[in-house]
Amino acid sequence: MSTTADPVALGASSPVAYGAKTATTVANAIAKTVAVISSTVSTSSTTGATFTSTSTPPTSATPTTSTTFAYTPTPTPTPTPFQSASPSLEDAEQKLSVKDLSQALQHFGIVDYLVFIAMLAVCAVIGFYFGFIEKKQKKQKLAGKDGGGAAGIEERRGSEALDYLVGGRQMKVFPVALSLVASFVSGISLLGTSTEIYVYGTQYAFILVTLAISGAISWYIFLPVFCNLQLTSTYEYFEMRFNKSVRLLGSAFFTGANLIWLPIVIYVPALAFNQVSGINVHIITPIVCLVCIFYTTAGGLKAVVWTDVIQTVIMVGAVIFVIIKGTLDVGGLGVVMQRNFDSGRVEWPEFTLDPKVRMSMFAMMVGYVGHNAYQFGCNQMITQRYMSLPGAKQMAHTSFIFIVGLVILHALCLYNGLLLYATYYDCDPLTTKLVLAKDQLIPLLVVQSMSSFPGVSGMFVAGVFSAALSSLSTGMNSLTAVFLEDYIKPLAKKPLTEHQTAVTVRLCTVIIGIVSGALVFVVERMSSHVLQLGIAIGAVVQGPLLGLFSMGLLCPSINSKSAITGSIFTFFFMGWLSISAQIAINSGEIHPEEKPVSVEGCDYEFDRSLLTPANATLHSGESASLSFAEQLYHISFLFYTVMGGTLSVIVGHLAGFIFGRNKPGDVSDDLLSPCIRRFQKSKYSSVNLNETSLKCSDEKS
């Protein structure tokens, strides 16, 4: 996976709902499959032949040559759970077709459904508790204070918005840290990371180093300013630093980014559920969305955080269980590593400065570090959690636990990718079309390895949905905060009452949830792998936002007009870049080099014509013939966010020749990053902040 310009490879755009067969056919298929799976307890040592996918080694950073299948003799390895180890079984029974096997593997039992429903029920109960029981107890407490004078009235003032959006700024370190982990590691990461390793190799594993670097950058550059100002919406900062127009622009970017991202978050676990149960994506999606809307609407941030804690435990437990059982099935850790070494999957990122190389060390250390620095330090969904803590000390502890938790969970997902290949090293489900989308590989592994453990498949699907629900609820709650603070309050002619605030935030949550669920129909038409889709499409607005925050925190000379010019120019450029790259992927112009796979060990019938790739890929020698525009959208998707942020700052500085620049002292030191304050020579020891800043300072005290 060392060369290609853009994101992760082509995958099927959506799962299909299989047509019903007669009762006799289904019964026979299930019986045959049970026999095949149970036969794996025996061993065999026959000799066969391998159809191995080989690719011409790339000589440049452009996409690689067409994949071909070479026929080479090789010993038949230990059978996978889909293989027949007994020759007598092959003689006695006709091989299953891939369609029959796929149908037979969709055995989501009653125990699995109960486990999955229990997870949803627990989330709903938590939302009910914080939305009704805990709220009622607080009202009774405040009612007792009202008799003592104005203290109760003053404490209640603004409590509805604070409780719903930032938990009253009294949340505890550990649950908030787990909530951050659960929110950041969505189903996109849980399934997409493992699939990335299976298809392209271990170059992506270097993210474990970049996560720590990104966390340090966000804590020392971005978060100190937001923590000191005690903001509910991060985009309030733009009004303090620039003006209200920049604030609205930043809020609009964030809104657009989340309306793109949230449907992807919902769609990924729906794929997993479809793989293990056969239930259509469009049936399970609205059900899960309704549960998430309920507990987020009822309980606010407190419900979101505590459901995240439960969901994190389920998510991690499911991944660990699958890893242990799967590793034992293939013969141990040594077998897993040996098979991946033999296939060439274990490798370092390529050391090159060519930005078109998909997973180079340069792309990781610059592109991915910058992308995550924005996510950790500027993303409303992350900073809103930090704002729910009482002080900077608690925020520092939470940040450390958050980064450590991310590294551990990503490491588990990365190893899961190695296990995935060790299981299917001689019978690739993608080639045989046993699965129709790359992100259904992990659910397939769960079904085939956990069939003897009732409820485990349900626990895994619950874990994937837990990751999605935590991200969805976080997104809805964060968007609600932005809607209230950046759109509704500034436009309201008079301050909202407590009742109006309560109704408004809950109505916003419901509308956001419904829109996100509806946009799943759009996401499933995209043909990119979800890991790429989440980063590349999101960068359309994350790039300009990173630029705005960088100009505000690090460039005191840039004024509001220059900032708006830079961010809007970047928005249109990144939009063109992402759309062009997506079109190139869909057409086959961009096709990343994939690691070799085999189908020799498959013990079920499939269409052998599938061994011939449908689309020819761009030859590596054609790099020089690419136009300048093509060179741009062939750049690795890991650079997208940093590219957008850098372009915004450059254009903002250039616009200063037209719109002028700020003078020293025009910007308060409180609005600049600590690393810039020492270089800022202000004529004044302090500059009064605007009314909003003073309000935030009073609130903090």
Side-chain angles (χ1 to χ4, degrees):
M1 74 184 206
S2 58
T3 65
T4 167
D6 213 275
V8 194
L10 289 166
S13 60
S14 66
V16 249
Y18 299 104
K21 297 178 70 71
T22 64
T24 303
T25 304
V26 172
N28 290 337
I30 295 175
K32 293 176 183 178
T33 304
V34 171
V36 170
I37 294 176
S38 63
S39 67
T40 59
V41 297
S42 59
T43 59
S44 67
S45 59
T46 59
T47 301
T50 300
F51 283 97
T52 305
S53 173
T54 59
S55 299
T56 303
T59 57
S60 69
T62 55
T64 58
T65 57
S66 300
T67 302
T68 58
F69 286 85
Y71 184 86
T72 56
T74 183
T76 300
T78 303
T80 68
F82 294 123
Q83 296 170 309
S84 170
S86 171
S88 61
L89 181 62
E90 288 190 23
D91 297 336
E93 299 287 351
Q94 184 181 1
K95 288 184 179 180
L96 287 172
S97 70
V98 66
K99 184 176 181 180
D100 289 339
L101 180 59
S102 179
Q103 287 178 325
L105 285 173
Q106 293 174 342
H107 52 78
F108 211 58
I110 184 65
V111 179
D112 298 306
Y113 279 110
L114 289 176
V115 171
F116 180 70
I117 292 172
M119 183 272 293
L120 295 179
V122 168
C123 294
V125 168
I126 292 174
F128 181 84
Y129 172 79
F130 284 107
F132 299 98
I133 299 176
E134 196 256 3
K135 185 177 180 180
K136 183 179 179 180
Q137 293 173 348
K138 183 176 180 181
K139 284 184 177 180
Q140 292 174 348
K141 179 181 177 181
L142 290 176
K145 289 186 177 183
D146 285 346
I153 299 175
E154 183 65 27
E155 183 174 340
R156 189 170 64 247
R157 183 177 301 159
S159 63
E160 180 63 41
L162 281 177
D163 277 350
Y164 191 86
L165 300 175
V166 290
R169 304 194 195 280
Q170 295 298 320
M171 299 298 293
K172 303 298 182 183
V173 169
F174 193 68
V176 171
L178 289 185
S179 176
L180 286 169
V181 173
S183 302
F184 192 84
V185 181
S186 63
I188 297 174
S189 299
L190 207 60
L191 298 181
T193 301
S194 301
T195 304
E196 169 76 17
I197 302 301
Y198 177 84
V199 178
Y200 302 109
T202 61
Q203 293 183 359
Y204 188 67
F206 197 73
I207 63 166
L208 298 180
V209 177
T210 66
L211 289 173
I213 298 173
S214 299
I217 292 174
S218 65
W219 178 250
Y220 287 105
I221 294 181
F222 299 112
L223 287 175
V225 177
F226 304 141
C227 293
N228 291 334
L229 295 176
Q230 288 286 284
L231 308 176
T232 299
S233 168
T234 310
Y235 307 103
E236 294 176 62
Y237 168 81
F238 289 144
E239 185 172 357
M240 300 177 185
R241 171 62 175 84
F242 298 111
N243 57 30
K244 185 174 293 186
S245 298
V246 180
R247 175 181 178 177
L248 290 175
L249 180 63
S251 301
F253 282 150
F254 175 76
T255 302
N258 276 271
L259 290 179
I260 293 171
W261 181 69
L262 290 178
I264 303 175
V265 167
I266 303 170
Y267 176 64
V268 171
L271 277 179
F273 197 86
N274 170 265
Q275 177 63 38
V276 300
S277 69
I279 296 179
N280 193 285
V281 170
H282 302 142
I283 295 176
I284 189 60
T285 296
I287 295 174
V288 175
C289 282
L290 286 176
V291 174
C292 188
I293 290 171
F294 169 75
Y295 75 75
T296 307
T297 301
L301 185 75
K302 290 181 180 179
V304 171
V305 168
W306 283 106
T307 53
D308 284 352
V309 172
I310 302 297
Q311 290 160 356
T312 302
V313 173
I314 296 173
M315 178 172 57
V316 174
V319 173
I320 291 176
F321 199 100
V322 170
I323 285 175
I324 294 174
K325 178 62 166 59
T327 302
L328 293 176
D329 285 346
V330 300
L333 178 62
V335 176
V336 172
M337 299 307 300
Q338 187 61 49
R339 290 178 180 175
N340 281 276
F341 270 111
D342 292 344
S343 69
R345 275 171 171 75
V346 180
E347 58 183 350
W348 284 89
E350 187 174 336
F351 289 87
T352 177
L353 296 179
D354 190 338
K356 297 189 296 300
V357 176
R358 182 177 174 275
M359 285 287 174
S360 66
M361 189 68 73
F362 179 44
M364 287 285 189
M365 294 302 297
V366 176
Y368 204 69
V369 165
H371 171 76
N372 279 333
Y374 163 79
Q375 295 289 351
F376 296 161
C378 303
N379 193 328
Q380 169 71 18
M381 293 188 294
I382 301 296
T383 58
Q384 189 174 341
R385 295 297 194 283
Y386 286 121
M387 296 304 105
S388 68
L389 295 162
K393 182 179 179 180
Q394 290 82 358
M395 293 177 187
H397 293 165
T398 301
S399 179
F400 177 77
I401 298 173
F402 169 45
I403 298 301
V404 172
L406 272 186
V407 171
I408 293 174
L409 192 51
H410 273 90
L412 293 175
C413 293
L414 291 165
Y415 176 79
N416 220 9
L418 297 176
L419 176 62
L420 199 60
Y421 176 73
T423 303
Y424 300 118
Y425 73 109
D426 61 350
C427 185
D428 177 42
L430 289 170
T431 302
T432 64
K433 300 301 180 184
L434 184 60
V435 294
L436 300 175
K438 293 175 181 177
D439 300 293
Q440 290 179 314
L441 285 168
I442 289 294
L444 180 67
L445 174 65
V446 172
V447 169
Q448 62 104 70
S449 64
M450 302 296 175
S451 57
S452 58
F453 294 87
V456 175
S457 295
M459 184 178 72
F460 175 79
V461 173
V464 176
F465 264 109
S466 294
L469 286 173
S470 64
S471 300
L472 178 60
S473 59
T474 299
M476 290 193 297
N477 191 256
S478 299
L479 274 175
T480 298
V482 170
F483 277 34
L484 178 67
E485 298 293 335
D486 298 338
Y487 301 146
I488 298 172
K489 282 186 177 181
L491 297 177
K493 295 182 179 179
K494 56 181 181 179
L496 299 177
T497 64
E498 288 295 293
H499 177 70
Q500 289 174 330
T501 300
V503 172
T504 299
V505 293
R506 285 165 174 80
L507 184 61
C508 287
T509 303
V510 172
I511 293 173
I512 293 165
I514 293 174
V515 171
S516 299
L519 288 176
V520 170
F521 290 89
V522 178
V523 170
E524 69 172 343
R525 303 301 175 191
M526 302 285 190
S527 63
S528 291
H529 171 43
V530 292
L531 185 62
Q532 174 265 328
L533 200 60
I535 295 177
I537 302 299
V540 174
V541 288
Q542 290 172 358
L545 277 174
L546 176 61
L548 278 176
F549 281 113
S550 298
M551 286 185 280
L553 292 164
L554 304 175
C555 306
S557 64
I558 294 180
N559 59 28
S560 59
K561 292 182 179 179
S562 298
I564 291 175
T565 302
S567 58
I568 291 180
F569 177 85
T570 301
F571 170 74
F572 286 108
F573 174 80
M574 295 306 299
W576 166 82
L577 187 73
S578 296
I579 292 173
S580 298
Q582 182 67 33
I583 293 173
I585 293 171
N586 292 346
S587 66
E589 177 185 345
I590 295 177
H591 188 76
E593 177 196 7
E594 299 180 1
K595 294 300 180 183
V597 294
S598 170
V599 294
E600 181 278 331
C602 298
D603 201 21
Y604 54 87
E605 296 291 345
F606 64 94
D607 187 357
R608 292 278 168 174
S609 66
L610 297 173
L611 297 179
T612 302
N615 295 321
T617 56
L618 188 65
H619 288 272
S620 58
E622 296 178 14
S623 176
S625 64
L626 294 175
S627 66
F628 177 73
E630 290 172 332
Q631 294 274 1
L632 287 177
Y633 65 74
H634 278 69
I635 290 176
S636 171
F637 71 99
L638 294 179
F639 285 109
Y640 281 15
T641 301
V642 170
M643 186 190 306
T646 304
L647 184 62
S648 291
V649 174
I650 292 174
V651 174
H653 275 294
L654 294 177
F657 291 106
I658 301 175
F659 300 114
R661 303 180 186 277
N662 290 329
K663 298 178 181 179
D666 287 348
V667 180
S668 169
D669 287 348
D670 292 336
L671 301 177
L672 297 174
S673 176
C675 64
I676 296 298
R677 292 172 189 171
R678 69 185 67 179
F679 302 107
Q680 174 73 352
K681 298 179 181 180
S682 175
K683 295 180 181 180
Y684 309 98
S685 59
S686 62
V687 178
N688 292 330
L689 301 179
N690 59 26
E691 183 178 349
T692 308
S693 178
L694 291 174
K695 180 180 177 181
C696 292
S697 300
D698 293 338
E699 187 178 291
K700 177 183 175 183
S701 61

